Amino acid sequence: MNLLLLLIIIFSILVLVRLANVAQLAAKLSDESEEEEQDNDNRMNGIGLMIFLWGGLILMVYMIFRYKAYMLPVSASEHGVQIDKLMNTNWVVLFIVFVITQVLLFSFAFKYRFNKERRAFFFHDNNKLEVIWTIIPTIVLAALITTGLSEWSNITDYAKRKEGLLIQVYGKQFDWTVRYAGKDNKLGESYFRRINDTNPLGVDSLDVNSNDDLTAREMYLPVGVPIELAINSRDVIHSVYLPHFRVQMNAVPGMTTRFSFKPTITTAKMREITGNPKFDYILLCNKICGVAHYNMNMKVVVVEPADFKEWLKSQKPLFENTVVAAAPATRTVSEKPNEKKIVALK
Amino acid sequence: MEVNQHSSEAHVTETDDHAHGHAHHDDHHDHVENFWTKYLFTTDHKMISKQFLVTAIGMAFIAMFMSLIFRLQLAWPDTKFPFLEGFLGKWAKDGVLDPGFYLALVTIHGTIMVFFVLTGGLSGTFSNLLIPLQVGARDMASGVLNMLSFWFFAVSSAVMLSSLFIETGPASAGWTVYPPLSALPQAIPGSGLGMTLWLISMVLFIASALLGGINYIATVLNLRTKGMSMTRLPLTIWAFLVTAILGVLSFPVLFAASLLLVMDRSFGTSFYLSDIFIDGAPLEHVGGSPVLFQHLFWFLGHPEVYIVLLPALGLASEVISTNARKPIFGYKAMIGSILVIAFLSFIVWGHHMFITGMNPFLGSVFVFTTLLIAIPSAVKVFNYITTLWRGNLQFTPQMLFAIGLVSFFISGGLTGIILGDSALDINVHDTYFVVAHFHIVMGSSAIFGMFAGVYHWFPKMYGRMMNKKLGYIHFWMTIVSVYGVFFPMHFLGLAGVPRRYYANTAYEGFSQLININQLITVFAILGGIAQFIFAFNFFYSIWRGKRATQNPWKSNTLEWTTPVEHLHGNWPGEIPEVHRWPYDYGKPGSKEDFIPQTIPYSETPESNTPDDLKH
Ligand code: HEM
Ligand SMILES: [Cu+2]
Ligand SMILES: [Cu+2]
C-alpha cells in the first residue's frame, strides 16, 4: 500500500514534469505571441469565474434545501425559539449581502477582463462612496446588535427567573452526573477533597440540604418547568451542550457556571415531530477534555411533570443512611458556604 | 554549486563597486561568500525571505497531511486504512487511528497552520522580501537580528516536529491549549513531554516573531528612501508595519500566558488550577482560574488572526491594483481601515469566551466591539470591488488568487457576524460552524494571499517565472476544494456537531450526517492533490522556469527597479528616489498604462493633474 502510494507520487511528478516541458515547448514553437496567449487565458479564466459564481450559488441553494432535513429540529426550549428566530433574521440579511457582494466581485472581474484597446478608469478616491459604505453597514450592524443583545440579556438574566428546578450537572473525564436538589430545591454543598468511591461528587453528607439530594446518570426534565443548571467539573474544562434546547455552558473546575431555560417539548412529542421513533435528546460534552471527549454524553429525557415526579421517586437519595437528626448541628455551619457555592446567583 | 559560487562572487564585486559609501555594507563585502554564509547564515533579507518561504511550504505540507489523515477518519470512521500504520506506527494499529492521536494531529495541524505557516511563513517571507525592496532600503535595519529571527523560527519548527516522535505523543489539548487539560499529564498523555516541547517551541517562536517584528518596524520607519513618505508607501508595507506592531504588542502576552502555564505544570503554582480531583486523588492546587488563561490566550489570539490576515490583504491590494491596471480604490481609506481593525482587534478577545461563565454583561461589551470590527472590514471589501470596477484585468494566477481571497473574506466575515452575536453563539460555539468560519476567513484568505504573493513575486525571488498554466490548474482546483470542504461544514455545525470529536458515532442523531463528511473529505483530497501541482511548479521553476524580465507585471513599485540577479544591497547604484504614490496605473494621458514611483512629475507633463502639482 505504501509502495503503491510512493509510486503514484513519483509517477505524477514525472507526468507533471512532462506537462510543464510540453507547455513550455508549445509556447515557444507556436507563433502565438505572449499577448495573444494572455488574451486567451483572460477569456478562459473570466468564463471560469462566471461559471464558478453561478454554479456555486446554485449548488449552495441546492445544499441548503437538501440538508435542511438534517438540521436541528424546532427548538425544545422557550428561549431557543427566540434564538432561532434571531438566527433566521440574521441569515436573511447576511445572505442578501453575500449574494450582492459575491455577484459584484465575480461579475466585475469577468466584465472588465483585459482588452488592450481599453484603459482602466482612473478612479482612485471618492469620499461620498466611502461614507455611504461605512454608514450602511453601521446601520445594519446596529440593528443586528440591538436585537441580539436584548435576546442575550433575556437569556442570561438569572435575576428574572424565580423558582427554577435546580439541577447540578457534574462533569468528569468522561461522563456526566446530574444531581437533583430534592424537595427543598437546595443542593448540599460539594467539595473536591471529599470525593471518594462512594461519593463521586464530593457532597457533604452532614449538610442538611444534601439529605434529599439524588443523583442520576440520565437527565430527566419536566416539561414547561423552568430549569436552572448549576454546572461543575472536577478535573478539566468540559462543556454542557444541549443542542436541541440551544443551551451551552462550560463546566469549569473551581467555579460554578449556570444556565436557565425552560423545556417545552417532551421526548415523546419530539419523536412525533421528527418522525423518528428512536429520537432522544442528548447532552454532549463540547469542550475538548481528553481522549474520550467524543464519547462523553448523557441521555436527556423530557417528560410531563407528573411522570417526572414518579421518576424522581424511583431514584435513590444520595445518603440513604444519613440520620436526619444530625442536621440541626451542622445547619448553621453549612448554610452559608453552600449558598455561596451552588445557589449564590439565585 | 561551482556555478553558483562563481556568480555570487561576481555579484559581490559588482556590489562593491557601486555600493560604496554605504557604511554598514563595506565590512562584509570584502570576503567571498561561501555556501554557509550565502544560504544558511545569511543576513541578506532576500535570502532570509526564501528561507522562510521554503520552511513554511515544508511545514504546510506536513500539516496538510495531518488534516487528510483525520479527514479520512471522520469520513470513514469504521474503515481500516492499513497504510496509516506505515506512517504512524503504534498510533494507527491495524489501520485504526488512535483517538488520542487524532487529537494530537488536530492540535499540531492547527498550531503549524496558524503560527508556522500563516504567521512565521507569511510575514517572514513577504515582510522580509518586500519591506527593504519597496521602501528603498539596502537591507533590514539589522541583518543579524533578521538572521536570528529565521533561526529561532527554524529551531522552533524542529522542536515542534520532534514532539511527533516521542513516546507519549505531541501536545493534544487543541491549538488553544486550555488548562487544566494542557497542564495535567494525568488528563491526557499529550500533556506530558509533548506539551513541554510545544511550550518550548512556542517560546522560541515568540522570540522569532519579536525579533522579526521590531526589525520590520524599524526598517519601515527609518530606512525609507528619499521621497518615500508614509502616504506613498504601498499598502503591502502599511499592512506589514501594522502587523508587526500587533505582533510586538500581543506576542509578549502569549509568552506570559505560557510562562504561567509552565509554572503550573512544573513548579507547583496555581495560576490556572483549582479544585481538581483527577486520577483518584485531589490535587494541591487551589485558587487559580482556568478562565484567566483564556483571557491571556485570546488577548494574543484575536490580534493573531489579524496578524495572519493583514499581510494577506496587503499583498492582495498590490496584486489587484497591478493586475487591474487601475489604482487601488480609496488608498487612504484602506490605511484607515487597517489602523482601525488593528486597534479594535485588541478589544474583542472576549467573543471567544461568551459561554465560559464570563459575566454576561462583559459578554455584551465584546459583542459590541466585535461587530464594530465588521465595519472597517466591509469598507475594505467594497474598496476591492470598486478597484475591479472598470479596470482592465489581467487574469494572472496571482490575480485569481487575490480575487479568491476577497471572496473568502466576504464569506467568512459574514459568518463571523453570527459568532460575534453572543445569543447566536450559544448554539454554534465550538461546533463545526466555527471551524468553517475561521478556515474560510483566516485560513483560506491568508493562504490565498500567500499564493498570490508567491506567484507575483516569484520572479523577484528566483529570477524566473512560474508556469502559468499550472498556476491556473492550481487555482481552480484549490478554490473549488476550499468551498467544497468548508461550505458544507456550516451545516454540520448548525446540526450541532461538536468540533474536536474523533468520531460522530456516539450519538445516533449524527449518523445521517456521514455523507456530508464524506463529501468534505473527497474535496479535501482534491485540494491536497492541487498543492502538489503547486509544489512541483514552485521547485521546477526555481531551476527550470522561464527567465524573468526586470518588471514582468509592469508594476510601479520600487522592487521592480532592482536587477533580476540578486545583489547584496539591492540596487547597483544609488537607491532610487521616489516621486509619486505607487498606484499610477491607467492614468489619463500617460504614455504607458503605468508610471513607476521613480518617475518624477517633471517627466510626465502629459498626465499630471492639478492635484499632482500641489505635492
Ligand atoms: C467580520 C469579522 C469577524 C467576526 C465578527 C468574527 C467573530 C468570531 C467569533 C465571535 C469567534 C468565536 C467563535 C465561537 O465563539 O465559537 C470567532 C472564531 C474564530 N475566528 Fe473570527 N471573526 C471575524 C473575522 C475573523 C478573521 C478575519 C479571522 C482570521 C483572520 C478570524 C479567525 C477566527 C478563528 C481562528 C476562530 C477560532 C477560534 C477557536 O479556536 O475557537 N475571524 N470569530
Ligand atoms: Cu468532556
Ligand atoms: Cu477573535
Side-chain angles (χ1 to χ4, degrees), chain B residues 298 301-303 305-306 348-349 351-352:
Chain B
W298 287 114
H302 195 86
V305 305
Y306 290 98
V348 299
W349 79 88
H351 63 214
H352 300 269

Side-chain angles (χ1 to χ4, degrees), chain B residues 530-543:
Chain B
Q531 303 325 305
F532 279 99
I533 297 176
F534 166 76
F536 167 75
N537 192 357
F538 183 85
F539 289 107
Y540 180 86
S541 305
I542 289 181
W543 289 286

Side-chain angles (χ1 to χ4, degrees), chain B residues 551-611:
Chain B
N551 189 358
W553 317 117
K554 301 190 178 145
S555 186
N556 287 341
T557 36
L558 281 184
E559 74 272 29
W560 305 106
T561 61
T562 62
V564 176
E565 292 285 319
H566 283 182
L567 29 109
H568 214 316
N570 295 340
W571 285 269
E574 289 279 298
I575 301 181
E577 190 183 334
V578 163
H579 299 280
R580 59 178 76 227
W581 78 327
Y583 297 111
D584 269 344
Y585 292 105
K587 198 168 183 186
S590 61
K591 289 192 209 79
E592 299 227 45
D593 73 346
F594 70 112
I595 313 176
Q597 286 190 277
T598 48
I599 311 284
Y601 286 118
S602 58
E603 287 177 24
T604 56
E606 68 282 359
S607 66
N608 290 351
T609 65
D611 249 6

Side-chain angles (χ1 to χ4, degrees), chain A residues 192 195-197 234-235, chain B residues 186 276-283:
Chain A
F192 77 109
I195 295 173
N196 60 41
D197 284 347
R234 75 143 83 144
D235 40 37
Chain B
Q186 306 94 305
I276 292 171
F277 184 98
I278 194 164
D279 232 14
L283 300 186

Side-chain angles (χ1 to χ4, degrees), chain B residues 63-127:
Chain B
M64 185 183 83
F65 265 125
M66 295 178 167
S67 70
L68 290 179
I69 292 173
F70 56 76
R71 277 310 323 168
L72 282 182
Q73 160 63 27
L74 288 170
W76 294 282
D78 304 320
T79 311
K80 295 184 173 173
F81 296 99
F83 73 92
L84 284 183
E85 192 169 1
F87 286 127
L88 305 177
K90 69 166 177 170
W91 303 119
K93 273 237 165 56
D94 305 322
V96 181
L97 187 63
D98 176 75
F101 200 67
Y102 173 89
L103 293 179
L105 286 176
V106 173
T107 303
I108 304 297
H109 160 84
T111 307
I112 291 182
M113 285 298 192
V114 172
F115 291 111
F116 291 85
V117 179
L118 293 179
T119 306
L122 185 58
S123 281
T125 304
F126 291 104
S127 294

Side-chain angles (χ1 to χ4, degrees), chain B residues 378-612:
Chain B
V379 169
K380 284 189 88 75
V381 167
F382 291 128
N383 283 348
Y384 285 129
I385 293 178
T386 312
T387 305
L388 298 185
W389 178 66
R390 294 183 65 187
N392 207 10
L393 275 57
Q394 292 281 16
F395 289 132
T396 52
Q398 61 267 34
M399 181 61 162
L400 293 171
F401 276 104
I403 291 172
L405 175 152
V406 178
S407 171
F408 294 146
F409 189 50
I410 297 171
S411 309
L414 291 176
T415 53
I417 291 174
I418 301 276
L419 293 168
D421 195 332
S422 51
L424 300 178
D425 186 50
I426 292 173
N427 215 47
V428 286
H429 180 82
D430 262 335
T431 65
Y432 266 87
F433 192 88
V434 176
V435 180
H437 158 73
F438 73 78
H439 276 94
I440 290 183
V441 79
M442 169 171 78
S444 307
S445 291
I447 285 277
F448 267 46
M450 193 159 170
F451 282 136
V454 171
Y455 282 100
H456 192 77
W457 280 283
F458 191 87
K460 194 75 262 162
M461 295 179 121
Y462 294 99
R464 291 173 184 270
M465 310 294 284
M466 285 180 78
N467 184 300
K468 235 171 41 178
K469 295 285 189 287
L470 290 181
Y472 293 137
I473 298 176
H474 174 219
F475 167 75
W476 284 110
M477 283 175 74
T478 309
I479 192 169
V480 167
S481 33
V482 166
Y483 271 120
V485 169
F486 298 115
F487 182 72
M489 274 190 196
H490 293 101
F491 293 108
L492 296 179
L494 293 172
V497 178
R499 67 193 282 209
R500 294 163 171 169
Y501 264 28
Y502 167 72
N504 295 315
T505 43
Y507 178 51
E508 148 75 33
F510 291 152
S511 58
Q512 54 181 350
L513 299 168
I514 193 75
N515 55 22
I516 301 187
N517 265 321
Q518 287 165 353
L519 181 76
I520 291 174
T521 299
V522 170
F523 276 113
I525 294 170
L526 181 75
I529 294 172
Q531 303 325 305
F532 279 99
I533 297 176
F534 166 76
F536 167 75
N537 192 357
F538 183 85
F539 289 107
Y540 180 86
S541 305
I542 289 181
W543 289 286
R544 305 279 301 275
K546 204 172 75 181
R547 290 208 173 270
T549 52
Q550 192 184 16
N551 189 358
W553 317 117
K554 301 190 178 145
S555 186
N556 287 341
T557 36
L558 281 184
E559 74 272 29
W560 305 106
T561 61
T562 62
V564 176
E565 292 285 319
H566 283 182
L567 29 109
H568 214 316
N570 295 340
W571 285 269
E574 289 279 298
I575 301 181
E577 190 183 334
V578 163
H579 299 280
R580 59 178 76 227
W581 78 327
Y583 297 111
D584 269 344
Y585 292 105
K587 198 168 183 186
S590 61
K591 289 192 209 79
E592 299 227 45
D593 73 346
F594 70 112
I595 313 176
Q597 286 190 277
T598 48
I599 311 284
Y601 286 118
S602 58
E603 287 177 24
T604 56
E606 68 282 359
S607 66
N608 290 351
T609 65
D611 249 6
D612 295 338

